[in-house]
Amino acid sequence: MTNEELLRERVAKLEVQMTHLAEKLDDTHKKVEEMHEILLQAKGARWVIVGLAGVAGLASGLVAKLMP
């Protein structure tokens, strides 16, 4: 084998590895996007829980004040 043939073989292997790496990176990007969406939903749920707790506290305070 000449040096040019070895170089072509090495370049071909690198191209295959780069293609595989790009596919894995795309897959990882999709997973990160899904995790981000889940965290955003959890953030919204947290505010709903805080709001409901506030309303429940207000209601119980009014009931306690109005009842003798």
Side-chain angles (χ1 to χ4, degrees):
M1 281 189 148
T2 65
N3 283 340
E4 287 182 15
E5 291 173 342
L6 288 173
L7 182 60
R8 282 188 205 136
E9 186 177 325
R10 291 176 69 191
V11 168
K13 286 181 182 178
L14 283 173
E15 287 176 350
V16 169
Q17 288 177 351
M18 287 297 293
T19 303
H20 180 67
L21 183 62
E23 291 172 359
K24 288 190 73 131
L25 185 61
D26 288 340
D27 185 48
T28 303
H29 178 70
K30 289 176 187 175
K31 289 179 182 177
V32 168
E33 287 293 322
E34 290 174 2
M35 289 173 54
H36 184 0
E37 290 176 13
I38 290 170
L39 288 174
L40 286 177
Q41 289 175 355
K43 185 177 179 182
R46 182 184 69 189
W47 285 113
V48 168
I49 292 170
V50 168
L52 290 175
V55 169
L58 176 67
S60 63
L62 289 174
V63 168
K65 181 179 179 183
L66 296 176
M67 294 189 80

